[in-house]
Every structure is written in C-alpha cells, then in structure tokens.
Amino acid sequence: AEIVKGDAMAMPFEDQSVDFVWSLESAEHYPDKLKFMSEVKRVLKPRGKFVMAAWCHRSCPPQLDMNDQYVLQNIYEKYRIAHMCALEEFENHALRVKLRGVRTRDWSRAVLPFWRAVLFSAMSQSGVRELLRIGRPAIESALAVRHMIEGFRRGTLVFGVLAAVKPTEEALELETTRLEALTCREQK
C-alpha cells in the first residue's frame, strides 16, 4: 500500500483509478462537501465503493436552537471545522453526483461512550501530564470534548456513516431511460 498526501477537494488520482474510498472523521472539515463527493465519484472506478464516517448535526427541521448553535460553535472553533451538515445532506450530495446504492446509518449511540472515555483519559494523571507537555492546543482540544459529549447527549450531533457505489455508465443510462419512460407515462 502507498500513502499519498493530497487535497480532498482535488484528489491526486487519475479519473476512475480507485477501487475504494474511505473517509473517517474528515468530511466534516471540508469546506465544500458537494465538491468532495464529486471528487470521490471522479476517482472511483465503476462499481467502486465509498464509505464515510463523519460528525454531522441532526436533521432539520426543527431548526437548530440557540443551545444547539452554542454547542456547534464551540466544536467548530476547537476542532477547526468550517461547518457541519446533516447526514441527509451528505446523502443528497452522493445522489447528486450520481453515486448509487446510498445507505446511511446513525452510529451516535455507539460512539458516545468513546467520548466519555477520551475525557476520563485526558483527566487522568498521565493524561494531564501529556496535555501539559504538548501544550495549549492539546489542552483546548481536550476541554472541548465536553462539547462533543453535550452535543451527542442533546441529539445535536450525529455520528453518521454513509456507504455508496459508483455505477457503471450502462447502469446510469438504463436509469435515465427508465425515468424518461415514467415521465412519458405521467404526461399522457
């Protein structure tokens, strides 16, 4: 395996050159989530698979209230996130770029214990020594964990997982033909 450093908004791979794209806790940091999805589709080979796990905010409506906004703003500042979107927005982006077989899951309940463990670890004697050794950014990040816990507890945050497949050109043509046939039937 080869590790390649690159920009998710302009991946350093040829078109249709990758069998599998895995994105773990990074998509929430991307300023243009639709462009990221477009890049995923571009580099995937036909029948290539995409799996993503990302921090998201809950579905809207209802609108995010002031408490939700407060939690999110603290997370954005401490973890350098431009903005989060709902898992459904990632799903819509995947469909817009013509990824198919899109499936999503909310794994929030499964990851909440992890955040509590991170907080307890950071507050242990060895954790505090390590935070002091690393310095202010590490201390601020550790203290921000409380906002993650609060976000998951309130239901503001969602740990979302999305899986999709890049269809073949033939499959997309067949889909278009079927949609056109349905449209003609509706107009009669």
Side-chain angles (χ1 to χ4, degrees):
E2 179 183 355
I3 296 175
V4 178
K5 182 179 178 181
D7 181 349
M9 301 295 119
M11 294 183 196
F13 302 110
E14 298 293 322
D15 293 358
Q16 301 188 43
S17 62
V18 177
D19 293 309
F20 184 78
V21 174
W22 167 243
S23 173
L24 176 61
E25 295 184 339
S26 55
E28 62 271 12
H29 295 276
Y30 304 150
D32 187 339
K33 281 121 173 90
L34 179 59
K35 185 170 183 174
F36 165 65
M37 285 292 179
S38 294
E39 277 296 285
V40 167
K41 187 207 178 223
R42 181 187 68 78
V43 302
L44 278 174
K45 293 178 183 176
R47 296 187 183 94
K49 294 177 176 39
F50 171 55
V51 177
M52 176 191 83
W55 305 346
C56 305
H57 65 65
R58 67 168 169 74
S59 299
C60 299
Q63 286 292 99
L64 298 169
D65 66 24
M66 286 180 19
N67 291 324
D68 294 327
Q69 294 288 352
Y70 174 79
V71 167
L72 289 171
Q73 194 57 47
N74 278 290
I75 291 167
Y76 295 166
E77 288 173 15
K78 302 302 184 220
Y79 293 109
R80 295 177 178 87
I81 296 173
H83 72 283
M84 287 182 192
C85 64
L87 182 57
E88 292 81 3
E89 290 175 76
F90 278 121
E91 180 178 14
N92 288 338
H93 291 332
L95 292 169
R96 282 181 66 190
V97 301
K98 298 192 183 325
L99 293 174
R100 295 297 183 253
V102 180
R103 298 174 317 280
T104 62
R105 294 287 184 274
D106 178 349
W107 284 5
S108 302
R109 291 178 63 113
V111 301
L112 182 55
F114 163 80
W115 287 104
R116 290 182 180 131
V118 168
L119 184 60
F120 289 127
S121 173
M123 297 306 143
S124 70
Q125 190 175 22
S126 62
V128 170
R129 271 197 308 272
E130 187 64 13
L131 289 172
L132 291 172
R133 185 188 70 73
I134 295 170
R136 184 181 179 147
I139 294 168
E140 288 177 353
S141 183
L143 293 173
V145 169
R146 74 183 189 277
H147 298 295
M148 295 296 291
I149 293 169
E150 178 67 7
F152 282 116
R153 188 191 65 73
R154 286 181 48 81
T156 304
L157 290 181
V158 171
F159 188 78
V161 178
L162 179 144
V165 176
K166 180 178 180 176
T168 63
E169 286 302 317
E170 295 80 20
L172 283 175
E173 287 173 18
L174 181 60
E175 181 181 288
T176 301
T177 302
R178 287 180 177 162
L179 288 173
E180 287 171 355
L182 289 172
T183 303
C184 291
R185 279 189 227 144
E186 290 174 4
Q187 291 177 352
K188 291 181 181 179

